[in-house]
Amino acid sequence: MQGKEFSPLKSLDCLSRIFPVKGAIVVGAGMGQGPWYDLFLQHNVEDVLLIEAEHFNVQYLEKKYAIHTRWSIIQQ
């Protein structure tokens, strides 16, 4: 049996076909990287709320996702 690398994005993509993502809240958004963000971008999820504690990360997220006008980023 060959080992296959687990792909969170592939699993999320499969689930999102059954349960389409209409919006999301990410607590501890960090630097805005990972399979969740890939899924949001691939499926054009419009309503996303990113909550992050670190001021530097909030500034980075505001620049990185500025084009997504319905994405909200708050520092909390």
Side-chain angles (χ1 to χ4, degrees):
M1 185 170 144
Q2 291 182 338
K4 291 187 179 182
E5 186 176 325
F6 174 71
S7 169
L9 183 58
K10 190 173 183 179
S11 299
L12 292 173
D13 185 51
C14 182
L15 282 173
S16 71
R17 292 174 191 271
I18 299 166
F19 306 105
V21 180
K22 298 189 189 285
I25 298 172
V26 179
V27 178
M31 297 293 282
Q33 299 172 343
W36 285 110
Y37 297 96
D38 297 339
L39 179 78
F40 300 156
L41 296 171
Q42 285 181 1
H43 290 271
N44 298 315
V45 178
E46 292 184 0
D47 296 312
V48 177
L49 172 61
L50 304 177
I51 302 172
E52 173 57 36
E54 296 293 328
H55 180 70
F56 176 79
N57 290 351
V58 171
Q59 289 178 322
Y60 178 80
L61 292 168
E62 288 172 343
K63 290 178 188 173
K64 182 174 183 175
Y65 296 115
I67 192 168
H68 301 280
T69 57
R70 290 179 53 180
W71 285 35
S72 299
I73 302 162
I74 61 171
Q75 182 178 4
Q76 200 56 246

PDB file of all heavy atoms in Angstrom, residues 27-46:
ATOM      1  N   VAL A  27     -11.050  32.735  13.279  1.00  0.00           N
ATOM      2  CA  VAL A  27     -10.510  33.292  14.518  1.00  0.00           C
ATOM      3  C   VAL A  27      -9.055  32.857  14.602  1.00  0.00           C
ATOM      4  O   VAL A  27      -8.741  31.674  14.490  1.00  0.00           O
ATOM      5  CB  VAL A  27     -11.293  32.791  15.747  1.00  0.00           C
ATOM      6  CG1 VAL A  27     -10.687  33.327  17.026  1.00  0.00           C
ATOM      7  CG2 VAL A  27     -12.763  33.174  15.635  1.00  0.00           C
ATOM      8  N   GLY A  28      -8.175  33.844  14.776  1.00  0.00           N
ATOM      9  CA  GLY A  28      -6.741  33.545  14.744  1.00  0.00           C
ATOM     10  C   GLY A  28      -6.282  33.462  13.306  1.00  0.00           C
ATOM     11  O   GLY A  28      -5.687  32.479  12.878  1.00  0.00           O
ATOM     12  N   ALA A  29      -6.588  34.492  12.538  1.00  0.00           N
ATOM     13  CA  ALA A  29      -6.353  34.500  11.097  1.00  0.00           C
ATOM     14  C   ALA A  29      -4.878  34.448  10.708  1.00  0.00           C
ATOM     15  O   ALA A  29      -4.550  34.060   9.592  1.00  0.00           O
ATOM     16  CB  ALA A  29      -7.001  35.738  10.482  1.00  0.00           C
ATOM     17  N   GLY A  30      -4.009  34.838  11.631  1.00  0.00           N
ATOM     18  CA  GLY A  30      -2.574  34.772  11.352  1.00  0.00           C
ATOM     19  C   GLY A  30      -2.189  35.627  10.164  1.00  0.00           C
ATOM     20  O   GLY A  30      -2.575  36.782  10.043  1.00  0.00           O
ATOM     21  N   MET A  31      -1.440  35.026   9.241  1.00  0.00           N
ATOM     22  CA  MET A  31      -0.972  35.725   8.045  1.00  0.00           C
ATOM     23  C   MET A  31      -1.841  35.414   6.831  1.00  0.00           C
ATOM     24  O   MET A  31      -1.462  35.700   5.703  1.00  0.00           O
ATOM     25  CB  MET A  31       0.481  35.356   7.757  1.00  0.00           C
ATOM     26  CG  MET A  31       1.455  35.786   8.848  1.00  0.00           C
ATOM     27  SD  MET A  31       1.621  37.572   8.994  1.00  0.00           S
ATOM     28  CE  MET A  31       2.678  37.916   7.621  1.00  0.00           C
ATOM     29  N   GLY A  32      -3.005  34.805   7.057  1.00  0.00           N
ATOM     30  CA  GLY A  32      -3.936  34.560   5.958  1.00  0.00           C
ATOM     31  C   GLY A  32      -3.475  33.508   4.981  1.00  0.00           C
ATOM     32  O   GLY A  32      -3.649  33.659   3.782  1.00  0.00           O
ATOM     33  N   GLN A  33      -2.905  32.441   5.504  1.00  0.00           N
ATOM     34  CA  GLN A  33      -2.408  31.375   4.640  1.00  0.00           C
ATOM     35  C   GLN A  33      -2.969  30.039   5.095  1.00  0.00           C
ATOM     36  O   GLN A  33      -3.286  29.852   6.262  1.00  0.00           O
ATOM     37  CB  GLN A  33      -0.882  31.323   4.689  1.00  0.00           C
ATOM     38  CG  GLN A  33      -0.245  32.600   4.214  1.00  0.00           C
ATOM     39  CD  GLN A  33       1.254  32.606   4.459  1.00  0.00           C
ATOM     40  OE1 GLN A  33       1.781  31.820   5.236  1.00  0.00           O
ATOM     41  NE2 GLN A  33       1.930  33.509   3.793  1.00  0.00           N
ATOM     42  N   GLY A  34      -3.087  29.115   4.173  1.00  0.00           N
ATOM     43  CA  GLY A  34      -3.532  27.770   4.508  1.00  0.00           C
ATOM     44  C   GLY A  34      -4.694  27.322   3.653  1.00  0.00           C
ATOM     45  O   GLY A  34      -5.193  28.072   2.803  1.00  0.00           O
ATOM     46  N   PRO A  35      -5.138  26.091   3.868  1.00  0.00           N
ATOM     47  CA  PRO A  35      -6.167  25.515   3.005  1.00  0.00           C
ATOM     48  C   PRO A  35      -7.504  26.244   3.053  1.00  0.00           C
ATOM     49  O   PRO A  35      -8.213  26.293   2.059  1.00  0.00           O
ATOM     50  CB  PRO A  35      -6.304  24.075   3.500  1.00  0.00           C
ATOM     51  CG  PRO A  35      -5.675  24.041   4.842  1.00  0.00           C
ATOM     52  CD  PRO A  35      -4.656  25.139   4.870  1.00  0.00           C
ATOM     53  N   TRP A  36      -7.854  26.817   4.215  1.00  0.00           N
ATOM     54  CA  TRP A  36      -9.127  27.548   4.280  1.00  0.00           C
ATOM     55  C   TRP A  36      -9.111  28.725   3.331  1.00  0.00           C
ATOM     56  O   TRP A  36     -10.066  28.957   2.599  1.00  0.00           O
ATOM     57  CB  TRP A  36      -9.404  28.041   5.701  1.00  0.00           C
ATOM     58  CG  TRP A  36      -9.832  26.953   6.622  1.00  0.00           C
ATOM     59  CD1 TRP A  36      -9.104  26.434   7.657  1.00  0.00           C
ATOM     60  CD2 TRP A  36     -11.058  26.233   6.599  1.00  0.00           C
ATOM     61  NE1 TRP A  36      -9.815  25.438   8.270  1.00  0.00           N
ATOM     62  CE2 TRP A  36     -11.027  25.291   7.642  1.00  0.00           C
ATOM     63  CE3 TRP A  36     -12.190  26.290   5.792  1.00  0.00           C
ATOM     64  CZ2 TRP A  36     -12.068  24.420   7.907  1.00  0.00           C
ATOM     65  CZ3 TRP A  36     -13.233  25.414   6.062  1.00  0.00           C
ATOM     66  CH2 TRP A  36     -13.166  24.503   7.100  1.00  0.00           C
ATOM     67  N   TYR A  37      -8.029  29.478   3.341  1.00  0.00           N
ATOM     68  CA  TYR A  37      -7.943  30.651   2.476  1.00  0.00           C
ATOM     69  C   TYR A  37      -7.947  30.252   1.009  1.00  0.00           C
ATOM     70  O   TYR A  37      -8.581  30.904   0.181  1.00  0.00           O
ATOM     71  CB  TYR A  37      -6.694  31.475   2.805  1.00  0.00           C
ATOM     72  CG  TYR A  37      -6.734  32.024   4.206  1.00  0.00           C
ATOM     73  CD1 TYR A  37      -6.101  31.378   5.253  1.00  0.00           C
ATOM     74  CD2 TYR A  37      -7.440  33.186   4.479  1.00  0.00           C
ATOM     75  CE1 TYR A  37      -6.154  31.872   6.537  1.00  0.00           C
ATOM     76  CE2 TYR A  37      -7.504  33.687   5.766  1.00  0.00           C
ATOM     77  CZ  TYR A  37      -6.859  33.023   6.793  1.00  0.00           C
ATOM     78  OH  TYR A  37      -6.934  33.524   8.062  1.00  0.00           O
ATOM     79  N   ASP A  38      -7.259  29.158   0.693  1.00  0.00           N
ATOM     80  CA  ASP A  38      -7.262  28.657  -0.681  1.00  0.00           C
ATOM     81  C   ASP A  38      -8.684  28.318  -1.120  1.00  0.00           C
ATOM     82  O   ASP A  38      -9.097  28.640  -2.232  1.00  0.00           O
ATOM     83  CB  ASP A  38      -6.372  27.417  -0.809  1.00  0.00           C
ATOM     84  CG  ASP A  38      -4.909  27.707  -0.508  1.00  0.00           C
ATOM     85  OD1 ASP A  38      -4.493  28.886  -0.597  1.00  0.00           O
ATOM     86  OD2 ASP A  38      -4.182  26.754  -0.170  1.00  0.00           O
ATOM     87  N   LEU A  39      -9.434  27.681  -0.223  1.00  0.00           N
ATOM     88  CA  LEU A  39     -10.826  27.324  -0.525  1.00  0.00           C
ATOM     89  C   LEU A  39     -11.673  28.575  -0.743  1.00  0.00           C
ATOM     90  O   LEU A  39     -12.440  28.658  -1.702  1.00  0.00           O
ATOM     91  CB  LEU A  39     -11.419  26.482   0.599  1.00  0.00           C
ATOM     92  CG  LEU A  39     -12.874  26.077   0.401  1.00  0.00           C
ATOM     93  CD1 LEU A  39     -12.964  24.916  -0.574  1.00  0.00           C
ATOM     94  CD2 LEU A  39     -13.521  25.695   1.718  1.00  0.00           C
ATOM     95  N   PHE A  40     -11.534  29.559   0.143  1.00  0.00           N
ATOM     96  CA  PHE A  40     -12.310  30.802   0.013  1.00  0.00           C
ATOM     97  C   PHE A  40     -12.038  31.469  -1.332  1.00  0.00           C
ATOM     98  O   PHE A  40     -12.959  31.955  -1.991  1.00  0.00           O
ATOM     99  CB  PHE A  40     -11.973  31.793   1.128  1.00  0.00           C
ATOM    100  CG  PHE A  40     -12.231  31.295   2.522  1.00  0.00           C
ATOM    101  CD1 PHE A  40     -11.534  31.837   3.593  1.00  0.00           C
ATOM    102  CD2 PHE A  40     -13.147  30.288   2.790  1.00  0.00           C
ATOM    103  CE1 PHE A  40     -11.759  31.401   4.882  1.00  0.00           C
ATOM    104  CE2 PHE A  40     -13.374  29.842   4.088  1.00  0.00           C
ATOM    105  CZ  PHE A  40     -12.677  30.401   5.138  1.00  0.00           C
ATOM    106  N   LEU A  41     -10.777  31.500  -1.722  1.00  0.00           N
ATOM    107  CA  LEU A  41     -10.413  32.161  -2.972  1.00  0.00           C
ATOM    108  C   LEU A  41     -10.864  31.362  -4.184  1.00  0.00           C
ATOM    109  O   LEU A  41     -11.383  31.930  -5.152  1.00  0.00           O
ATOM    110  CB  LEU A  41      -8.903  32.410  -3.011  1.00  0.00           C
ATOM    111  CG  LEU A  41      -8.389  33.374  -1.945  1.00  0.00           C
ATOM    112  CD1 LEU A  41      -6.865  33.391  -1.929  1.00  0.00           C
ATOM    113  CD2 LEU A  41      -8.947  34.775  -2.150  1.00  0.00           C
ATOM    114  N   GLN A  42     -10.699  30.052  -4.154  1.00  0.00           N
ATOM    115  CA  GLN A  42     -11.095  29.204  -5.285  1.00  0.00           C
ATOM    116  C   GLN A  42     -12.601  29.234  -5.525  1.00  0.00           C
ATOM    117  O   GLN A  42     -13.061  29.149  -6.654  1.00  0.00           O
ATOM    118  CB  GLN A  42     -10.645  27.762  -5.072  1.00  0.00           C
ATOM    119  CG  GLN A  42      -9.188  27.549  -5.288  1.00  0.00           C
ATOM    120  CD  GLN A  42      -8.792  26.100  -5.080  1.00  0.00           C
ATOM    121  OE1 GLN A  42      -9.620  25.234  -4.794  1.00  0.00           O
ATOM    122  NE2 GLN A  42      -7.512  25.826  -5.215  1.00  0.00           N
ATOM    123  N   HIS A  43     -13.362  29.348  -4.442  1.00  0.00           N
ATOM    124  CA  HIS A  43     -14.821  29.310  -4.565  1.00  0.00           C
ATOM    125  C   HIS A  43     -15.448  30.700  -4.474  1.00  0.00           C
ATOM    126  O   HIS A  43     -16.666  30.829  -4.334  1.00  0.00           O
ATOM    127  CB  HIS A  43     -15.415  28.378  -3.500  1.00  0.00           C
ATOM    128  CG  HIS A  43     -15.093  26.938  -3.765  1.00  0.00           C
ATOM    129  ND1 HIS A  43     -15.880  26.124  -4.540  1.00  0.00           N
ATOM    130  CD2 HIS A  43     -14.038  26.172  -3.381  1.00  0.00           C
ATOM    131  CE1 HIS A  43     -15.338  24.926  -4.611  1.00  0.00           C
ATOM    132  NE2 HIS A  43     -14.216  24.932  -3.909  1.00  0.00           N
ATOM    133  N   ASN A  44     -14.606  31.724  -4.542  1.00  0.00           N
ATOM    134  CA  ASN A  44     -15.082  33.108  -4.530  1.00  0.00           C
ATOM    135  C   ASN A  44     -16.046  33.390  -3.375  1.00  0.00           C
ATOM    136  O   ASN A  44     -17.112  33.976  -3.577  1.00  0.00           O
ATOM    137  CB  ASN A  44     -15.739  33.470  -5.866  1.00  0.00           C
ATOM    138  CG  ASN A  44     -14.763  33.382  -7.009  1.00  0.00           C
ATOM    139  OD1 ASN A  44     -13.639  33.860  -6.908  1.00  0.00           O
ATOM    140  ND2 ASN A  44     -15.174  32.756  -8.095  1.00  0.00           N
ATOM    141  N   VAL A  45     -15.677  32.951  -2.178  1.00  0.00           N
ATOM    142  CA  VAL A  45     -16.493  33.217  -0.998  1.00  0.00           C
ATOM    143  C   VAL A  45     -16.399  34.713  -0.716  1.00  0.00           C
ATOM    144  O   VAL A  45     -15.316  35.259  -0.548  1.00  0.00           O
ATOM    145  CB  VAL A  45     -16.007  32.396   0.221  1.00  0.00           C
ATOM    146  CG1 VAL A  45     -16.826  32.730   1.450  1.00  0.00           C
ATOM    147  CG2 VAL A  45     -16.092  30.904  -0.098  1.00  0.00           C
ATOM    148  N   GLU A  46     -17.534  35.377  -0.715  1.00  0.00           N
ATOM    149  CA  GLU A  46     -17.541  36.837  -0.612  1.00  0.00           C
ATOM    150  C   GLU A  46     -17.541  37.351   0.816  1.00  0.00           C
ATOM    151  O   GLU A  46     -16.942  38.378   1.099  1.00  0.00           O
ATOM    152  CB  GLU A  46     -18.747  37.400  -1.356  1.00  0.00           C
ATOM    153  CG  GLU A  46     -18.650  37.214  -2.857  1.00  0.00           C
ATOM    154  CD  GLU A  46     -19.805  37.852  -3.591  1.00  0.00           C
ATOM    155  OE1 GLU A  46     -20.682  38.449  -2.933  1.00  0.00           O
ATOM    156  OE2 GLU A  46     -19.832  37.748  -4.819  1.00  0.00           O
TER     157      GLU A  46
END
